[in-house]
Amino acid sequence: MKEKTENYTHYIITGLIMTLLAIAGLAIYSLSETQRLANAAELFNSERVARGSEIYQEQCTACHGADGEGGSGPALNNRTVLKNTLDNVFFSVIRSGVPGTQMPAWSVDFGGPLTDEDVRDVVALLRSWEPTAPEIVAQPYVPNAASGARLFFSTCAACHGEDGSGTPDAPRINDPQRLQSLPDDWYRGVIRNGRPAKGMPTWGTVLSPNQIEDLVMLLSAWREGQQVKPAYATAELLENALYALEQGDAESAALHIQHAEAVTSGPALEVLRNASAQIAAGDLAGAQATLAALRAEWPLGDAVAGVQIYSASCAACHGVQGEGGIGTALQNNAFIQSQTGGELLQFILAGRTGTAMAGFAGRLDETQIADLIAFLRLWQSAP
């Protein structure tokens, strides 16, 4: 009798179908889960951008413009900047600021108002601009030896001496013969990368490329035997002198005031001289009070002198009576009324990128701008 053979084909086909259905189900789930995660990430980033926008409007627009177009600070809504700057670089700059510039440290770790999450929110906003950011071609930076001299005093003088004449800890830098033996590129590299074995720290992680170029320009001027007067800013020197007095450091305070006297004229100069006399007499508390009062009123200008400066430098765009023209009207101007004297001074020096308002750095000194601001303040109470 022939033995009957069982047929398992239908079981195999059923199992195969079930397996295929399971694989298809997993694929569909994976696709839906991937989409769900992508949607969640997009929502999270959207919320982060929204928070960053609020922080930016509160903290950043005064310098960088309402839409990142730039102002006294550089344009951030710039395709080139966004393409070439990593998120962690933006994060670091916002957190700790840029020494020697108007860019302060914003992190709570450095005395600022923002947490690390706040900073990440702002970075997310900046990154969201990249797809539609315009291409803004930056004007080539022109190094300035006077700016380099001011930077040298604040960062290099401790080792190399205030005028580069050297100290027991570092060699003389302002020696024309020594400078002629080495090219600018050598000094540029040493400033950027340091010479650790010689005790020379790395400054490329602290100073901006433009600041390094200012220092190299200073060395070039010294190579030619030129005397360079530092481009001190009185407001900065006031802050430094006040800090020194708070620490009981009368010698440093006197030095800062001495530098301020060299770049100041008019009524502010007399106040500085009074503060110097108070320090010489040992009245540090009195000197501190004198300088604090000057800082609160700074820039202390002469409105009468400001009339001529306005006529020569501003009237062509803003009108003879501040009525406006190519530039905005300055009579009862809300922007002027909302800014401190120091903020207006920085704005006038830097100008506003992308507009006809060019900066006056190199054309007007701090005293002239102080006089101009004093004159413009008179118009803010005009009918």
Side-chain angles (χ1 to χ4, degrees):
M1 182 176 178
K2 190 175 180 179
E3 185 176 350
K4 183 178 179 180
T5 303
E6 291 192 40
N7 187 352
Y8 294 99
T9 302
H10 69 286
Y11 293 113
I12 295 173
I13 293 174
T14 301
L16 180 60
I17 292 172
M18 295 294 291
T19 301
L20 292 174
L21 288 173
I23 292 173
L26 287 172
I28 293 171
Y29 174 79
S30 177
L31 289 173
S32 64
E33 182 66 7
T34 299
Q35 186 60 47
R36 186 187 72 80
L37 293 174
N39 290 342
E42 184 177 351
L43 177 61
F44 176 77
N45 187 66
S46 177
E47 291 173 346
R48 171 154 271 178
V49 168
R51 292 193 300 270
S53 181
E54 291 179 4
I55 296 169
Y56 181 90
Q57 292 302 319
E58 292 174 359
Q59 307 289 359
C60 312
T61 56
C63 291
H64 297 286
D67 298 310
E69 71 276 14
S72 58
L76 299 175
N77 195 357
N78 179 343
R79 183 177 304 171
T80 301
V81 171
L82 293 167
K83 179 181 178 180
N84 296 322
T85 307
L86 299 175
D87 286 358
N88 63 342
V89 175
F90 278 131
F91 179 83
S92 176
V93 168
I94 296 170
R95 248 187 126 254
S96 56
V98 181
T101 73
Q102 298 176 47
M103 179 63 182
W106 288 97
S107 169
V108 293
D109 293 338
F110 298 97
L114 304 182
T115 65
D116 282 357
E117 282 303 297
D118 292 333
V119 176
R120 291 189 180 95
D121 291 343
V122 175
V123 173
L125 170 68
L126 301 183
R127 189 57 62 202
S128 74
W129 288 341
E130 186 171 359
T132 58
E135 189 83 39
I136 300 176
V137 179
Q139 295 297 317
Y141 181 72
V142 179
N144 185 286
S147 297
R150 186 178 85 174
L151 186 60
F152 187 93
F153 171 73
S154 64
T155 58
C156 314
C159 292
H160 293 287
E162 182 179 342
D163 57 356
S165 57
T167 67
D169 298 320
R172 178 186 175 191
I173 296 298
N174 67 354
D175 179 0
Q177 185 175 357
R178 174 190 174 90
L179 289 167
Q180 287 167 6
S181 67
L182 294 165
D184 284 346
D185 277 344
W186 187 86
Y187 285 102
R188 188 177 287 112
V190 167
I191 295 170
R192 184 187 302 118
N193 303 311
R195 301 183 74 187
K198 301 288 187 180
M200 171 71 177
T202 299
W203 288 102
T205 56
V206 177
L207 302 178
S208 71
N210 288 349
Q211 289 176 312
I212 292 176
E213 291 305 311
D214 286 339
L215 287 172
V216 172
M217 182 59 74
L218 171 66
L219 297 179
S220 296
W222 282 346
R223 183 182 289 120
E224 300 300 322
Q226 299 175 19
Q227 297 293 321
V228 181
K229 184 178 180 180
Y232 291 122
T234 304
E236 179 182 354
L237 293 168
L238 279 175
E239 292 292 341
N240 293 340
L242 280 166
Y243 176 78
L245 288 172
E246 290 170 1
Q247 305 303 311
D249 185 356
E251 186 176 355
S252 293
L255 181 60
H256 290 307
I257 295 174
Q258 178 185 335
H259 289 153
E261 290 175 0
V263 295
T264 305
S265 61
L269 179 57
E270 189 60 34
V271 177
L272 290 170
R273 287 171 176 166
N274 290 339
S276 291
Q278 289 172 311
I279 292 176
D283 183 9
L284 301 190
Q288 188 171 346
T290 298
L291 294 178
L294 178 58
R295 179 181 60 181
E297 298 177 19
W298 187 258
L300 195 60
D302 181 349
V304 174
V307 174
Q308 185 175 354
I309 296 168
Y310 178 86
S311 178
S313 303
C314 314
C317 290
H318 295 284
V320 175
Q321 298 298 322
E323 69 275 13
I326 298 173
T328 187
L330 300 180
Q331 295 270 5
N332 285 326
N333 183 284
F335 176 76
I336 293 176
Q337 294 169 15
S338 68
Q339 302 293 294
T340 65
E343 289 168 340
L344 284 175
L345 186 146
Q346 293 301 325
F347 174 78
I348 294 171
L349 282 172
R352 175 166 286 170
T353 304
T355 73
M357 176 62 185
F360 282 86
R363 294 191 286 166
L364 295 178
D365 62 30
E366 197 171 88
T367 299
Q368 291 172 310
I369 296 176
D371 294 340
L372 175 61
I373 292 171
F375 171 66
L376 294 177
R377 292 292 192 201
L378 297 181
W379 276 346
Q380 304 319 304
S381 58

